[in-house]
Amino acid sequence: MKKNRNVGIVGVGQSVYSSHREEVNQPEMIHEAVVEALEMAGITMAEVDCVVHGNMELFEMVHQPDLWHTLGTGAWGKESLRVTTGGTTGATLAAAADHLVASGLHDVVLAIGFEKLQEGHTTGGITNMADPLWGRQLQTGALTGMTAAQMIEEFGAERAKAAAMAYRILMDANAMKNPKAHRRLGLRPDQAEELAANSPALVGELRMIHMCSQSDGACAMIFASEEKARQLCAQPAWIEDHVTAHREEMFCLFGNAPVLTTHRHCARKLFARNGIRDPRREIDLFEMYDPSAWWGLDWLREFLLLEGDEHLRMVESGAIAMDGDFPVNPSGGVIASNPIGATAMVRVAEAALQIMGRAGGHQLPRPVRRALASGFGGTMWTVLFLLASDTERQAAA
Amino acid sequence: MELTPDLRDCFTVPGKLALPYTYFAGRIGSRFLLALQEEHRILGVRCAGCATVLVPPRATCDRCQADLADTWVEVGPAGRVENFTVVRYADRHVPEPVPLVLALIRLDGADTPLVHRLGGMDPEAVRVGLRVTAVFAAEPRDTLLCIDHFRPLAPQPSAAGPRPQGG
Amino acid sequence: MARRVGICAVAQTTWERDKWSQRFQGMALEVLEDLLARTGLTFSEDGGIGMSISVSDDIFDARTISDNAMTDVLGAHMGCEEKVAQEGLQALYYGLAAIRSGHVDVVLVLGHCKESQPASRNQVTHMAFDPFYTRPVGLDFTAAAGLQAQAYAARAGVGDRHLAQVVVRARQLATRNLKITGLPVVTAAEVLASPLLADPLRELHAYPVSDGAVGLILAAEERAREITDRPVWIAGVGNCMDSFFLGDRDLASNFPLRQAAARAYRRAGIDHPQNAFDVVELSDQYAYQQPMWMEGLGLVPAGGGGAWIDAGGPEAARVNLSGGMLAGNPLILGGLVRAAEAALQLRGEAGDHQVPGARRALAHGVMGPAGQFHTVAVLERD
Ligand SMILES: [Zn+2]
């Protein structure tokens, strides 16, 4: 399918991510991200045509919060759209902004994802996701130890646990370079055994140290038509493509039958549509929605269409580190910062910053021509984005 | 679907959404609420760009995006009823007693009116243009209800006002 | 120039006070099966439905991520589904963008809501207010509408008698709409004697609580012509957000609606809206909104609402022949049902309330306290 016109990302703004944002209310926190995004793009609200907004109502118990948040979003007098899809919301917002610009309806769109989890009760909010008749009494929040158990069965306890912890420590090393990151613990590789032994176990071998944080924060991004993007930005991050796949809430009815994951499904489709045969060679960076070290590790195999233990070897060899062959989450990822309605947008935003060369302390040492970013949410839902630089686009043309 | 479905053996399950929430007012909101609570003063903010005094205060002007930090202006406590409605239904979220007069009150020195409840008079006697003044709550509260209600400046026919609310 | 987008099929359930025996998934399934039967489509990215846009609300559904309960009904197994968490006409806006962008050819839009499910509709809309300044005084959308009605009525010469006329007409028209069930006709005397809710709003001025679901199939021009011989084109859509605090706004000014309408008219190439529409479907959640939104749309002179009703304007302008929201649609679906009704008119499928030969229609949706956010869509047929 031919895109009606190209869309570039020209600005990214992020509030500080923290479990403690008592000094700002919701619109004020959003405004921090909006101001930063406008500054990076070198524009004011006067040049924005439309504001796209999303989060989950029950996390803060505000009905249609874009109405109140107009005090901080800049949406007054503008067109607007509100879209939500669970943890994937932030990436869905980026997809919506892409459509709004590509369609020709708007030249400049501001998209905002946010969550102020400290104001509500996250696990209670997530429990309300389950069906009130069939699932709610069984649900325990987004926590699952299943992946850890499966990986231990497949690769042996020692190797699987070591790889998960290596992944965790690498992510923290990246977060230490990102001043916006919420959790920056300064973990060292030699602490791996001690952490594995002492971090509280949540479910089986899923331990506290493996899990994502619970953060307050907002992310804002500015999307512009090709013509406008070139005026505003020396190196916009171009949106090449994105794929979304959902699946049903009751997905384990058939026991251990092998099922295609939405991650692998999206990756196959995205790579096929964009002529990518060897993603690890043809893509320079991956910002993955990794809610725990176990999932991050496991999902590498799905997204990169790998078989066997290739994904473990990528972690063991350091290939996913910032100076490795295939860097993953130079931002520190979701384990470091997780303001749910923004989290998936942060993945797209961080991938864009790397292409734009604006990632600051966690900018990769070599140019990023093509980047992958994923969102995760709902009941194993996926949104997968492919971004590219001018160099990449010229090479492709 | 049949127009008259067979409803025998259909049942319903009651549910309840009851989760705790703690909202942060922000620095500007907190200053406003503290001034109400501790000093019985009402503060607005002034947008230089729009030449407007805004109540309730907010960090940013949504019209011109100006930063409104440290632009405090004292307003009220008296003002004028610009518009009102009489809420006649009781519900969990509606302060008692009903009928409840909700009025848009433009405080002296402010440009934007504030929605608050009006008491100390017969709801049927409320008129646009009425001069009113703030009645502060005796006990500390953490919302706009630090002002318990507004009452007419001049004596009015009936003086049955809202009962004090729990904070 | 981006490609045109057409509405290829429309379906809705009946709208009833309390569909207590049906879960919302069941209501939505009824609509989906109807749409698939009408179009012969399946879920497939190869010529079939390639994207589903749902409309629902987490608080009304009492579920975090309310679309999570809908994956199978929305055909989203390994497929694309996204939820518009705003008034439903926005799903048309989003579907239009997704198709015009070139990303997808055929889109399912499907909204559901059971307003009967929460203890009260007002308790839900109360939660749209901020926790510090506007919740504590008890505001909800009904009280906010009372304030707006008060401000508007004086300026437009709209009195209790006019509002009664609007309600009587809506209830009468609803008897011709087969999708509205169990809504009695009323007399002007009954409306005038109806208890006040929030002055000057009376109980009979308010849209009835209702449950139901509505859906549309949207497609790029080429596909639309294959799916149906009577596509309805989305000629233009526009929307606008106003300030949040009621005191920051001139409640009678129609500022956001005038902006939304101007944007929709510009995109549709309409210079003179006054005589541009054969049918108008607007979201009259409360009786005063029918004349007020007509003014905002530029179809009635500003301040002329009362005179317009006196002159038989609603009938002459063919406003809300479906009965409108006053006949009962949930808050978050009002505008989407208006678009569905407008499309039915242009397809010649409006049954007993069909306007012969209707070529161009306007659909309007509104959300937020006292109309903080409006959407306007212009629909046309060949
Ligand atoms: Zn200003």
Side-chain angles (χ1 to χ4, degrees):
Chain A
M1 252 174 284
K2 192 177 165 354
K3 196 165 181 168
N4 183 52
R5 61 175 180 170
N6 288 318
V7 180
I9 296 161
V10 297
V12 166
Q14 302 181 58
S15 74
V16 169
Y17 303 128
S18 165
S19 58
H20 293 280
R21 294 306 315 273
E22 286 94 341
E23 80 284 20
V24 286
N25 65 24
Q26 292 175 22
E28 289 165 0
M29 188 181 74
I30 286 169
H31 193 68
E32 290 176 5
V34 170
V35 167
E36 195 176 283
L38 291 170
E39 272 173 17
M40 185 180 289
I43 59 173
T44 66
M45 272 316 294
E47 286 163 87
V48 173
D49 304 316
C50 179
V51 176
V52 181
H53 176 287
N55 77 308
M56 272 140 283
E57 284 186 339
L58 295 190
F59 285 154
E60 293 85 10
M61 192 52 94
V62 181
H63 180 56
Q64 311 259 335
D66 54 325
L67 301 166
W68 169 31
H69 293 171
T70 297
L71 288 162
T73 59
W76 176 78
K78 309 281 181 198
E79 297 214 7
S80 130
L81 177 67
R82 181 172 149 75
V83 187
T84 76
T85 53
T88 36
T89 291
T92 305
L93 295 168
D98 177 44
H99 292 323
L100 286 165
V101 176
S103 67
L105 283 169
H106 299 297
D107 291 333
V108 180
V109 170
L110 165 67
I112 301 163
F114 97 99
E115 214 75 67
K116 216 157 181 297
L117 295 175
Q118 194 191 0
E119 298 197 352
H121 188 271
T122 308
T123 300
I126 289 178
T127 301
N128 278 319
M129 210 173 108
D131 187 291
L133 293 182
W134 317 120
R136 202 165 283 179
Q137 273 69 39
L138 306 172
Q139 181 107 357
T140 55
L143 219 58
T144 163
M146 209 158 62
T147 302
Q150 282 167 354
M151 291 190 78
I152 285 170
E153 192 182 314
E154 188 174 351
F155 301 108
E158 194 183 345
R159 188 179 180 201
K161 282 157 69 175
M165 195 55 72
Y167 182 95
R168 177 66 189 92
I169 291 170
L170 269 170
M171 288 306 132
D172 188 61
N174 293 351
M176 291 299 288
K177 298 190 174 76
N178 177 5
K180 299 276 187 180
H182 169 185
R183 287 199 305 182
R184 305 162 77 216
L185 305 175
L187 303 179
R188 296 182 317 272
D190 63 11
Q191 286 175 288
E193 278 183 36
E194 175 204 329
L195 288 168
N198 296 336
S199 173
L202 298 171
V203 185
E205 270 306 320
L206 175 68
R207 292 174 180 273
M208 194 72 99
I209 189 71
H210 296 129
M211 273 305 285
C212 58
S213 64
Q214 179 175 309
S215 317
D216 284 9
C219 181
M221 293 176 75
I222 295 172
F223 299 76
S225 64
E226 178 157 10
E227 190 185 323
K228 192 82 187 170
R230 292 211 182 277
Q231 290 166 17
L232 294 173
C233 190
Q235 176 53 77
W238 303 106
I239 298 176
E240 292 290 274
D241 201 357
H242 46 87
V243 178
T244 296
H246 287 197
R247 59 184 304 170
E248 300 78 355
E249 56 176 333
M250 303 291 183
F251 56 86
C252 288
L253 290 177
F254 306 108
N256 284 329
V259 283
L260 177 66
T261 67
T262 48
H263 291 342
R264 192 173 281 261
H265 171 84
C266 286
R268 273 186 193 159
K269 201 157 124 184
L270 187 82
F271 298 159
R273 265 195 335 217
N274 294 277
I276 293 172
R277 277 183 292 275
D278 185 350
R280 278 189 290 172
R281 277 173 178 279
E282 295 173 56
I283 295 169
D284 301 312
L285 160 82
F286 183 17
E287 269 287 337
M288 188 199 335
Y289 194 123
D290 55 347
S292 79
W294 286 102
W295 275 357
L297 178 61
D298 185 45
W299 292 356
L300 269 179
R301 182 161 73 171
E302 300 305 304
F303 280 118
L304 298 176
L305 310 182
L306 304 176
E307 302 296 337
D309 67 347
E310 194 73 7
H311 57 308
L312 262 63
R313 284 192 276 138
M314 286 176 72
V315 174
E316 289 161 349
S317 70
I320 67 163
M322 280 184 64
D323 56 358
D325 292 341
F326 189 80
V328 173
N329 292 359
S331 64
V334 181
I335 299 175
S337 315
N338 186 27
I340 300 180
T343 304
M345 180 181 285
V346 178
R347 309 280 69 75
V348 184
E350 284 287 349
L353 287 173
Q354 292 286 349
I355 287 176
M356 295 160 78
R358 303 289 297 265
H362 57 290
Q363 180 71 44
L364 291 185
R366 52 194 165 83
V368 177
R369 294 161 40 137
R370 222 177 200 175
L372 201 60
S374 76
F376 161 79
T379 42
M380 305 302 284
W381 295 352
T382 308
V383 181
L384 192 59
F385 264 80
L386 183 66
L387 308 180
S389 70
D390 277 314
T391 321
E392 178 58 37
R393 292 177 69 87
Q394 282 150 13
Chain B
M1 174 133 202
E2 308 156 61
L3 278 177
T4 320
D6 179 358
L7 300 180
R8 280 172 300 179
D9 296 335
C10 290
F11 66 97
T12 57
V13 174
K16 192 172 196 174
L17 273 182
L19 298 169
Y21 295 92
T22 310
Y23 297 108
F24 300 126
R27 289 192 198 289
I28 288 184
S30 299
R31 169 87 198 276
F32 172 73
L33 293 170
L34 281 172
L36 288 181
Q37 235 179 47
E38 294 174 359
E39 303 162 42
H40 288 189
R41 290 166 67 221
I42 309 174
L43 299 177
V45 287
R46 180 192 300 279
C47 177
C50 300
T52 305
V53 173
L54 304 156
V55 184
R58 67 289 309 257
T60 309
C61 174
D62 71 352
R63 304 291 167 102
C64 74
Q65 302 299 306
D67 181 353
L68 302 178
D70 301 318
T71 62
W72 295 106
V73 183
E74 186 165 352
V75 297
R80 177 183 188 271
V81 171
E82 300 286 335
N83 187 3
F84 69 95
T85 186
V86 187
V87 175
R88 296 177 190 269
Y89 48 87
D91 206 335
R92 276 185 52 181
H93 62 283
V94 179
E96 289 183 334
V98 291
L100 161 77
V101 180
L102 284 181
L104 276 158
I105 298 159
R106 192 159 60 81
L107 295 163
D108 295 345
D111 292 295
T112 59
L114 175 77
V115 179
H116 213 306
R117 52 186 182 154
L118 208 55
M121 67 180 297
D122 179 1
E124 313 309 320
V126 180
R127 294 290 176 268
V128 168
L130 185 71
R131 293 282 300 162
V132 296
T133 192
V135 178
F136 289 89
E139 75 289 358
R141 294 174 183 169
D142 49 14
T143 70
L144 184 64
L145 289 184
C146 292
I147 303 172
D148 185 80
H149 63 279
F150 282 78
R151 65 161 176 82
L153 267 176
Q156 294 291 316
S158 163
R163 289 193 296 273
Q165 295 288 303
Chain C
M1 188 63 191
R3 53 195 186 162
R4 283 213 288 181
V5 175
I7 298 170
C8 305
V10 173
Q12 53 186 322
T13 62
T14 56
W15 303 97
E16 294 173 40
R17 173 65 184 77
D18 185 0
K19 297 197 172 205
W20 66 270
S21 65
Q22 253 186 314
R23 306 191 75 194
F24 51 72
Q25 292 93 336
M27 303 187 316
L29 185 62
E30 199 180 314
V31 169
L32 173 73
E33 287 177 342
D34 194 344
L35 288 172
L36 297 185
R38 283 166 193 272
T39 57
L41 288 168
T42 56
F43 290 101
S44 127
E45 282 163 28
D46 191 19
I49 297 166
M51 176 185 190
S52 301
I53 301 177
S54 61
V55 180
S56 62
D57 180 82
D58 288 11
I59 298 182
F60 273 118
D61 282 2
R63 288 189 67 147
T64 297
I65 320 174
S66 52
D67 54 332
N68 197 64
M70 304 296 293
T71 308
D72 43 5
V73 185
L74 295 164
H77 177 74
M78 294 294 173
C80 176
E81 182 270 328
E82 293 176 5
K83 181 182 95 178
V84 165
Q86 227 175 353
E87 195 283 307
L89 191 51
Q90 288 288 100
L92 201 78
Y93 177 69
Y94 188 33
L96 174 74
I99 294 173
R100 278 176 51 138
S101 76
H103 195 77
V104 62
D105 290 334
V106 183
V107 169
L108 164 72
V109 172
L110 181 45
H112 73 262
C113 187
K114 293 192 79 170
E115 277 200 342
S116 68
Q117 201 166 262
S120 89
R121 184 167 66 196
N122 286 333
Q123 282 181 18
V124 176
T125 63
H126 172 66
M127 303 314 282
F129 288 90
D130 81 87
F132 320 107
Y133 312 124
T134 48
R135 271 189 209 176
V137 299
L139 276 166
D140 56 37
F141 287 4
T142 303
L147 288 166
Q148 185 171 49
Q150 200 80 269
Y152 169 72
R155 203 176 295 188
V158 170
D160 212 13
R161 189 176 48 78
H162 295 105
L163 299 178
Q165 259 176 274
V166 169
V167 176
V168 168
R169 176 173 174 272
R171 294 289 185 105
Q172 194 64 49
L173 287 166
T175 63
R176 287 195 258 154
N177 181 345
L178 296 178
K179 296 297 181 185
I180 304 291
T181 66
L183 190 71
V185 293
V186 292
T187 64
E190 283 169 324
V191 181
L192 289 165
S194 154
L196 285 162
L197 277 181
D199 301 12
L201 303 183
R202 297 180 180 279
E203 277 178 16
L204 284 171
H205 293 165
Y207 64 121
V209 168
S210 69
D211 294 350
V214 58
L216 307 166
I217 297 288
L218 308 179
E221 177 161 8
E222 208 172 298
R223 280 295 284 131
R225 291 197 188 281
E226 290 166 7
I227 297 168
T228 176
D229 52 3
R230 284 169 296 165
V232 171
W233 308 113
I234 304 173
V237 184
N239 64 56
C240 183
M241 180 72 82
D242 202 349
S243 289
F244 168 69
F245 288 123
L246 299 175
D248 287 8
R249 305 186 229 158
D250 177 350
L251 292 178
S253 76
N254 263 321
F255 163 77
L257 179 53
R258 284 188 284 115
Q259 296 295 314
R263 288 165 183 163
Y265 299 158
R266 176 171 49 75
R267 290 183 181 129
I270 293 173
D271 296 325
H272 303 289
Q274 295 82 0
N275 301 309
F277 303 103
D278 300 310
V279 176
V280 176
E281 283 281 337
L282 52 77
S283 292
D284 46 358
Q285 297 162 352
Y286 302 92
Y288 78 90
Q289 295 180 346
Q290 193 175 105
M292 180 167 175
W293 300 159
M294 284 298 284
E295 291 183 29
L297 290 165
L299 305 180
V300 166
W308 176 69
I309 294 171
D310 284 333
E315 210 49 49
R318 290 168 297 272
V319 175
N320 286 1
L321 297 178
S322 64
M325 266 186 100
L326 287 172
N329 305 122
L331 176 69
I332 63 161
L333 299 181
L336 187 56
V337 179
R338 305 280 70 72
E341 285 289 345
L344 287 172
Q345 288 283 357
L346 300 181
R347 289 172 61 82
E349 293 172 355
D352 286 350
H353 53 289
Q354 178 69 45
V355 173
R359 296 192 68 85
R360 183 146 70 181
L362 181 146
H364 159 262
V366 60
M367 178 46 78
Q372 185 183 345
F373 180 79
H374 290 263
T375 310
V376 174
V378 176
L379 307 179
E380 290 171 353
R381 68 172 168 89
D382 286 326

Coordinates of all heavy atoms in Angstrom, one line a residue, chain A residues 272-310:
Chain A
A272 N 8.5 -8.3 6.0 CA 8.1 -8.7 4.6 C 7.7 -7.5 3.8 O 8.1 -7.3 2.7 CB 7.0 -9.7 4.7
R273 N 6.9 -6.6 4.5 CA 6.4 -5.4 3.8 C 7.5 -4.4 3.4 O 7.4 -3.6 2.5 CB 5.4 -4.7 4.7 CG 4.0 -5.1 4.4 CD 2.9 -4.3 4.9 NE 2.9 -3.5 6.0 CZ 1.8 -3.4 6.8 NH1 0.7 -4.1 6.6 NH2 1.8 -2.5 7.8
N274 N 8.6 -4.5 4.2 CA 9.6 -3.5 4.0 C 10.9 -4.1 3.5 O 12.0 -3.5 3.6 CB 9.9 -2.7 5.3 CG 8.7 -1.9 5.7 OD1 8.5 -0.8 5.2 ND2 7.8 -2.4 6.5
G275 N 10.8 -5.3 3.0 CA 12.0 -6.0 2.3 C 13.1 -6.3 3.2 O 14.3 -6.2 2.8
I276 N 12.9 -6.5 4.5 CA 13.9 -6.8 5.4 C 14.1 -8.3 5.6 O 13.2 -9.0 6.0 CB 13.6 -6.1 6.8 CG1 13.7 -4.6 6.7 CG2 14.6 -6.6 7.9 CD1 13.2 -3.9 7.9
R277 N 15.3 -8.8 5.2 CA 15.5 -10.2 5.2 C 16.3 -10.6 6.5 O 16.1 -11.7 7.0 CB 16.2 -10.7 4.0 CG 15.2 -10.9 2.8 CD 15.9 -11.4 1.6 NE 16.8 -10.4 1.0 CZ 16.4 -9.5 0.1 NH1 15.2 -9.4 -0.2 NH2 17.3 -8.6 -0.3
D278 N 17.2 -9.8 6.9 CA 18.1 -10.1 8.0 C 18.0 -8.9 9.0 O 18.8 -8.0 9.0 CB 19.5 -10.3 7.6 CG 20.4 -10.8 8.7 OD1 20.0 -10.8 9.9 OD2 21.6 -11.2 8.4
P279 N 17.0 -9.0 9.9 CA 16.7 -7.8 10.7 C 18.0 -7.4 11.6 O 18.2 -6.2 11.7 CB 15.6 -8.2 11.6 CG 15.4 -9.7 11.5 CD 16.0 -10.0 10.1
R280 N 18.7 -8.3 12.0 CA 19.9 -7.9 12.9 C 20.9 -7.1 12.1 O 21.6 -6.3 12.7 CB 20.5 -9.1 13.6 CG 19.7 -9.5 14.8 CD 20.4 -10.6 15.6 NE 20.4 -11.9 14.9 CZ 21.1 -12.9 15.3 NH1 21.9 -12.8 16.4 NH2 21.1 -14.1 14.6
R281 N 21.0 -7.4 10.8 CA 22.0 -6.7 10.0 C 21.4 -5.4 9.5 O 22.1 -4.4 9.3 CB 22.5 -7.5 8.8 CG 23.5 -8.5 9.1 CD 23.8 -9.4 7.9 NE 24.9 -10.3 8.2 CZ 26.1 -10.0 8.1 NH1 26.5 -8.8 7.7 NH2 27.1 -10.9 8.4
E282 N 20.1 -5.5 9.1 CA 19.5 -4.3 8.4 C 18.9 -3.3 9.3 O 18.5 -2.2 8.9 CB 18.5 -4.8 7.4 CG 19.0 -5.7 6.3 CD 18.0 -6.4 5.5 OE1 17.2 -5.6 4.9 OE2 18.0 -7.6 5.4
I283 N 18.8 -3.6 10.6 CA 18.3 -2.6 11.6 C 19.4 -2.3 12.6 O 20.1 -3.2 13.0 CB 17.0 -3.2 12.2 CG1 15.9 -3.4 11.2 CG2 16.5 -2.3 13.4 CD1 14.7 -4.2 11.7
D284 N 19.5 -1.1 13.0 CA 20.6 -0.6 13.8 C 20.3 -0.6 15.3 O 21.2 -0.5 16.1 CB 21.0 0.8 13.4 CG 21.5 0.8 11.9 OD1 22.2 0.0 11.5 OD2 21.0 1.7 11.2
L285 N 19.0 -0.6 15.6 CA 18.6 -0.4 17.0 C 17.2 -0.9 17.3 O 16.3 -0.9 16.4 CB 18.6 1.1 17.3 CG 17.8 1.6 18.5 CD1 18.7 1.4 19.7 CD2 17.4 3.0 18.3
F286 N 17.0 -1.4 18.5 CA 15.6 -1.9 18.8 C 15.3 -1.3 20.2 O 16.0 -1.5 21.2 CB 15.6 -3.4 18.9 CG 14.2 -4.0 19.2 CD1 13.0 -3.2 19.0 CD2 14.1 -5.3 19.6 CE1 11.8 -3.8 19.3 CE2 12.9 -5.9 19.8 CZ 11.7 -5.1 19.7
E287 N 14.2 -0.5 20.2 CA 13.6 0.0 21.5 C 12.4 -0.9 21.8 O 11.4 -0.8 21.2 CB 13.2 1.4 21.5 CG 14.3 2.4 21.9 CD 14.6 2.4 23.4 OE1 13.7 2.0 24.2 OE2 15.7 2.8 23.8
M288 N 12.6 -1.8 22.7 CA 11.6 -2.9 23.0 C 10.8 -2.5 24.3 O 11.4 -2.1 25.3 CB 12.2 -4.2 23.1 CG 11.2 -5.4 23.2 SD 11.8 -6.9 23.9 CE 13.5 -6.9 23.7
Y289 N 9.5 -2.8 24.2 CA 8.7 -2.7 25.5 C 8.9 -4.0 26.2 O 8.4 -5.0 25.9 CB 7.2 -2.6 25.1 CG 6.2 -2.2 26.2 CD1 5.4 -1.0 26.0 CD2 6.1 -2.9 27.3 CE1 4.5 -0.6 27.0 CE2 5.2 -2.5 28.3 CZ 4.4 -1.4 28.1 OH 3.6 -1.0 29.1
D290 N 9.8 -3.9 27.2 CA 10.2 -5.1 28.0 C 9.8 -5.0 29.5 O 10.5 -4.4 30.3 CB 11.8 -5.3 27.9 CG 12.5 -4.0 28.4 OD1 11.9 -2.9 28.5 OD2 13.7 -4.1 28.6
P291 N 8.6 -5.5 29.8 CA 8.0 -5.3 31.1 C 8.8 -6.0 32.2 O 8.7 -5.7 33.4 CB 6.6 -5.8 31.0 CG 6.3 -6.1 29.6 CD 7.7 -6.3 28.9
S292 N 9.6 -7.0 31.8 CA 10.5 -7.7 32.8 C 11.7 -8.2 32.0 O 11.6 -8.4 30.8 CB 9.8 -8.8 33.5 OG 9.8 -10.0 32.7
A293 N 12.8 -8.5 32.8 CA 14.0 -9.0 32.1 C 13.7 -10.3 31.4 O 14.2 -10.6 30.4 CB 15.1 -9.2 33.2
W294 N 12.8 -11.1 32.0 CA 12.5 -12.4 31.4 C 11.8 -12.2 30.1 O 12.1 -12.9 29.1 CB 11.6 -13.3 32.3 CG 12.4 -13.9 33.5 CD1 12.4 -13.4 34.8 CD2 13.2 -15.0 33.5 NE1 13.2 -14.2 35.6 CE2 13.7 -15.2 34.8 CE3 13.7 -15.9 32.5 CZ2 14.6 -16.2 35.2 CZ3 14.5 -16.9 32.8 CH2 15.0 -17.1 34.2
W295 N 10.8 -11.3 30.1 CA 10.1 -11.1 28.8 C 11.0 -10.5 27.8 O 11.0 -10.8 26.6 CB 8.9 -10.2 29.1 CG 7.7 -11.1 29.5 CD1 7.7 -12.4 29.6 CD2 6.4 -10.6 29.9 NE1 6.4 -12.8 30.0 CE2 5.6 -11.8 30.2 CE3 5.8 -9.4 30.0 CZ2 4.3 -11.7 30.6 CZ3 4.5 -9.3 30.4 CH2 3.7 -10.4 30.7
G296 N 11.8 -9.5 28.2 CA 12.7 -8.8 27.2 C 13.6 -9.9 26.5 O 13.8 -9.9 25.3
L297 N 14.1 -10.8 27.4 CA 15.0 -11.8 26.9 C 14.3 -12.7 25.9 O 14.7 -13.0 24.8 CB 15.5 -12.6 28.1 CG 16.5 -13.8 27.8 CD1 17.7 -13.3 27.1 CD2 16.8 -14.4 29.2
D298 N 13.1 -13.2 26.3 CA 12.3 -14.1 25.5 C 11.9 -13.5 24.2 O 11.9 -14.1 23.2 CB 11.1 -14.6 26.4 CG 10.3 -15.7 25.7 OD1 10.9 -16.6 25.1 OD2 9.1 -15.6 25.7
W299 N 11.5 -12.2 24.3 CA 10.8 -11.6 23.2 C 11.8 -11.2 22.1 O 11.4 -11.0 20.9 CB 10.1 -10.3 23.6 CG 8.9 -10.7 24.5 CD1 8.4 -11.9 24.7 CD2 8.0 -9.7 25.1 NE1 7.3 -11.8 25.5 CE2 7.0 -10.5 25.8 CE3 8.0 -8.4 25.2 CZ2 6.0 -9.9 26.6 CZ3 7.0 -7.8 26.0 CH2 6.0 -8.6 26.6
L300 N 13.1 -11.1 22.4 CA 14.1 -10.9 21.4 C 14.0 -12.0 20.3 O 14.1 -11.7 19.1 CB 15.5 -11.0 22.0 CG 16.2 -9.8 22.6 CD1 17.6 -10.2 23.1 CD2 16.4 -8.7 21.5
R301 N 13.8 -13.2 20.7 CA 13.7 -14.3 19.8 C 12.5 -14.1 18.9 O 12.5 -14.4 17.7 CB 13.5 -15.6 20.6 CG 13.5 -16.9 19.7 CD 13.8 -18.1 20.4 NE 12.8 -18.6 21.4 CZ 12.8 -19.7 22.0 NH1 13.7 -20.6 21.8 NH2 11.8 -20.1 22.8
E302 N 11.4 -13.6 19.5 CA 10.1 -13.5 18.7 C 10.3 -12.3 17.7 O 10.0 -12.5 16.5 CB 9.0 -13.2 19.6 CG 8.7 -14.3 20.6 CD 8.5 -15.6 20.0 OE1 7.6 -15.7 19.1 OE2 9.2 -16.6 20.3
F303 N 10.7 -11.2 18.2 CA 10.8 -10.0 17.3 C 11.8 -10.2 16.2 O 11.6 -9.7 15.1 CB 11.1 -8.8 18.1 CG 9.9 -8.2 18.8 CD1 9.9 -8.1 20.2 CD2 8.8 -7.7 18.1 CE1 8.9 -7.5 20.9 CE2 7.8 -7.2 18.8 CZ 7.8 -7.1 20.2
L304 N 12.9 -10.9 16.5 CA 14.0 -11.0 15.5 C 13.8 -12.3 14.7 O 14.7 -12.6 13.9 CB 15.3 -10.9 16.2 CG 15.6 -9.5 16.9 CD1 16.9 -9.5 17.6 CD2 15.5 -8.4 15.9
L305 N 12.7 -13.0 14.9 CA 12.4 -14.2 14.2 C 13.5 -15.3 14.3 O 13.9 -15.9 13.4 CB 12.2 -13.9 12.7 CG 11.2 -12.8 12.4 CD1 11.0 -12.6 10.9 CD2 9.8 -13.0 13.1
L306 N 14.1 -15.4 15.6 CA 15.2 -16.3 15.8 C 14.6 -17.7 16.2 O 13.5 -17.8 16.6 CB 16.1 -15.7 16.9 CG 16.7 -14.3 16.7 CD1 17.5 -13.9 17.9 CD2 17.5 -14.3 15.4
E307 N 15.5 -18.6 16.2 CA 15.2 -20.0 16.7 C 16.2 -20.4 17.7 O 17.3 -19.8 17.8 CB 15.2 -21.0 15.5 CG 14.2 -20.7 14.3 CD 12.8 -20.7 14.8 OE1 12.4 -21.3 15.8 OE2 12.0 -20.0 14.1
G308 N 15.9 -21.4 18.4 CA 16.9 -22.0 19.4 C 17.4 -21.0 20.4 O 16.5 -20.3 21.0
D309 N 18.7 -21.0 20.7 CA 19.1 -20.1 21.8 C 19.9 -18.9 21.3 O 20.6 -18.3 22.0 CB 20.1 -21.0 22.7 CG 21.4 -21.4 21.9 OD1 21.4 -21.2 20.7 OD2 22.3 -21.8 22.6
E310 N 19.6 -18.5 20.1 CA 20.3 -17.4 19.5 C 20.1 -16.1 20.3 O 21.0 -15.3 20.5 CB 19.7 -17.1 18.1 CG 20.5 -16.2 17.2 CD 21.8 -16.8 16.7 OE1 22.0 -18.0 16.9 OE2 22.6 -16.1 16.1

